[in-house]
Amino acid sequence: MTDVAPLARVRGSIRVPGDKSYSHRAVLLAALAEGRSSLRGLSAGADVAATLDAVARLGARVEPEGDRWWVSGPAGGLRASAAALECANSGTTMRLLCGVVAGVPGTHRLVGDASLSRRPMDRVAAPLERMGARVRGEGPSLHAPLVVEGGALSGVEYHVPVPSAQVKSAVLFAGLRASGSTTVVESVRTRTTTEDAMREAGLDVAVAPEGPGRRVTLNPGRPNPRAWAVPGDPSQAAFFAVLGAIHEDASLEVVSLDAAPERVGFVEVLARMGARVALHDHGTYHSLSALSSTLVATEVHSHEIPSVDEVPILTVAACAAEGITAFRSMAELRVKESDRFAGSLALARQLGAAAWAEGDDFFVEGLGAARRFAPFTLEAALDHRMVMAASVAGAAGRGCVIEGADTVASSYPHFFRDLALLA
Ligand code: S3P
């Protein structure tokens, strides 16, 4: 049990962990390259540690040195591991690895924790099977444990049926080893981390707009080894942005961030709510500042925040706002580390707000500036983002108790230390 005490005031500057999405891609591309790559600023979380562990099992050499990692891809390429690839809590590890091992001959077993073992993997199995791999899993949605039979693949054109960067990325990773080019068409613009990292590694990727979405075409190839430098994770900055905005006496900044448009939709949402939250461009990286604010309700569409990762923390902002905030088309929230659709509604109610669902939309009637959040208890259900969202609510309100809060280690092992630094 972790007690999160209310913070009397919030001041200071935070450096969040390296971007989790970019860290996974950098590790995988380094392992697929021939030769040694250095990686600085990697996410220190257990999710990326699982990816490092998996590529080591597949034959890459992985060595920590001070604040950086060295990853060397074997000259003959990755090979199947006799032991299972342990993906722990990390959906990105499991889905991207499926794409990687689809092109590695042999049988690959992928396992995860209780949360990951409930999440649908049919979304990656379908395109990979079309490319020539075989993917077996449990139940109709093919959840883990998974068995992937890798081998010769052919390029495909695949229209991703759900907005998911992980699915797009699994297909692109498989496409590296396929014969012929691979095209992925998405109707919602999801994060471009894979396309960007592949281009940085010297691969031939072309991206073109297609309606509201994009068409990504990749030619097969082997990435170059290189020096990877990972920026800070904007999804982690979102927790502090909301803390700053809803706390009655706050002034904080978060430094050294990536600010790709698909990642910082939450800043625009908060600005519409009247939050004094802003991104500042420092050339290579951005910083984010947040000051105590008076918030009003808004309407949030999942297209603005394609991975919906920031919706739980925006729900906390909605609880502090005056009026009814609408969250539209939020079905994907149900298949994250926990059912965040139900979890966000439950959290809002625990804080004392009224919250209700209509189909895939949900609504939160906030308490407004005059009232304070109620104290509450949360069962973390192996979901790092629900723990951090709840902690922000507790720190800005009247405290909370979290059972299983150590699950923050998936993405942000020092979250509670950083929160305390702001006191
Ligand atoms: C991620 C994509 C998103 C996001 C996850 C990281 C990635 O998942 O929720 O935290 O690194 O590609 P979906 O692809 O399922 O939206």
Side-chain angles (χ1 to χ4, degrees):
M1 294 243 274
T2 301
D3 267 303
V4 181
L7 294 175
R9 55 177 236 152
V10 171
R11 290 287 182 283
S13 177
I14 294 288
R15 182 179 295 270
V16 293
D19 183 43
K20 188 156 75 71
S21 291
Y22 193 69
S23 298
H24 287 294
R25 275 76 173 175
V27 170
L28 293 173
L29 289 167
L32 287 163
E34 178 177 349
R36 200 153 104 121
S37 295
S38 79
L39 301 99
R40 283 190 191 276
L42 273 194
S43 162
D47 283 14
V48 172
T51 298
L52 283 163
D53 217 58
V55 298
R57 288 197 182 284
L58 292 167
R61 217 169 66 229
V62 173
E63 302 155 292
E65 184 195 281
D67 64 348
R68 83 172 121 170
W69 290 83
W70 294 99
V71 174
S72 310
L78 300 176
R79 50 182 191 274
S81 153
L85 304 174
E86 174 55 76
C87 304
N89 189 245
S90 176
T92 311
T93 303
M94 185 168 276
R95 292 191 176 127
L96 271 54
L97 269 181
C98 281
V100 169
V101 300
V104 175
T107 303
H108 311 272
R109 287 186 303 126
L110 287 79
V111 298
D113 71 4
S115 151
L116 182 54
S117 301
R118 281 191 292 269
R119 299 180 65 186
M121 295 295 145
D122 51 347
R123 51 181 62 195
V124 287
L128 297 177
E129 296 224 326
R130 273 188 47 199
M131 296 176 84
R134 179 127 199 268
V135 183
R136 278 172 284 145
E138 306 284 316
S141 67
L142 291 189
H143 46 87
L146 298 182
V147 178
V148 179
E149 302 287 349
L153 303 177
S154 328
V156 283
E157 174 167 323
Y158 190 67
H159 292 246
V160 187
V162 282
S164 169
Q166 292 175 350
V167 175
K168 169 174 68 176
S169 303
V171 177
L172 293 174
F173 272 100
L176 291 177
R177 305 269 303 223
S179 60
S181 66
T182 293
T183 296
V184 183
V185 181
E186 56 181 10
S187 55
V188 171
R189 294 185 181 197
T190 66
R191 67 189 65 190
T192 57
T193 327
T194 296
E195 300 90 304
D196 298 343
M198 284 186 169
R199 201 174 297 109
E200 288 173 297
L203 293 159
D204 180 11
V205 206
V207 181
E210 179 153 315
R214 291 195 186 104
R215 164 178 292 262
V216 184
T217 302
L218 168 75
N219 279 316
R222 197 160 180 189
N224 296 325
R226 66 186 297 275
W228 295 95
V230 181
D233 194 325
S235 301
Q236 308 292 22
F239 296 104
F240 297 106
V242 172
L243 175 64
I246 67 174
H247 193 282
E248 62 196 8
D249 181 9
S251 170
L252 64 85
E253 67 163 357
V254 187
V255 298
S256 286
L257 295 173
D258 171 39
E262 299 80 5
R263 302 298 303 281
V264 294
F266 71 89
V267 176
E268 178 60 36
V269 170
L270 288 171
R272 280 205 308 272
M273 297 178 83
R276 296 190 293 159
V277 168
L279 279 169
H280 310 277
D281 188 348
H282 305 288
T284 326
Y285 296 144
H286 285 68
S287 63
L288 177 144
S289 58
L291 297 168
S292 304
S293 310
T294 302
L295 300 183
V296 292
T298 188
E299 179 158 329
V300 185
H301 196 282
S302 57
H303 291 179
E304 295 181 83
I305 303 173
S307 70
V308 295
D309 285 346
E310 293 78 29
V311 171
I313 190 60
L314 287 173
T315 301
V316 173
C319 289
E322 192 74 54
I324 299 173
T325 294
F327 290 90
R328 303 274 182 202
S329 297
M330 294 291 165
E332 276 294 301
L333 273 181
R334 297 191 175 97
V335 290
K336 296 292 181 178
E337 284 82 333
S338 68
D339 177 350
R340 292 181 184 159
F341 192 98
S344 297
L345 280 168
L347 178 59
R349 289 178 187 138
Q350 282 186 301
L351 294 176
W356 62 97
E358 286 172 21
D360 292 336
D361 300 341
F362 71 93
F363 302 86
V364 175
E365 182 165 13
L367 301 174
R371 293 183 43 202
R372 293 186 70 196
F373 294 161
F376 65 98
T377 300
L378 179 97
E379 159 49 66
L382 293 175
D383 191 332
H384 56 131
R385 292 195 208 280
M386 292 310 296
V387 171
M388 293 187 276
S391 301
V392 164
R398 284 189 278 159
C400 65
V401 174
I402 304 180
E403 285 171 41
D406 53 354
T407 202
V408 285
S410 295
S411 67
Y412 199 160
H414 301 306
F415 174 74
F416 288 108
R417 182 200 68 188
D418 287 355
L419 190 62
L421 281 178
L422 293 171

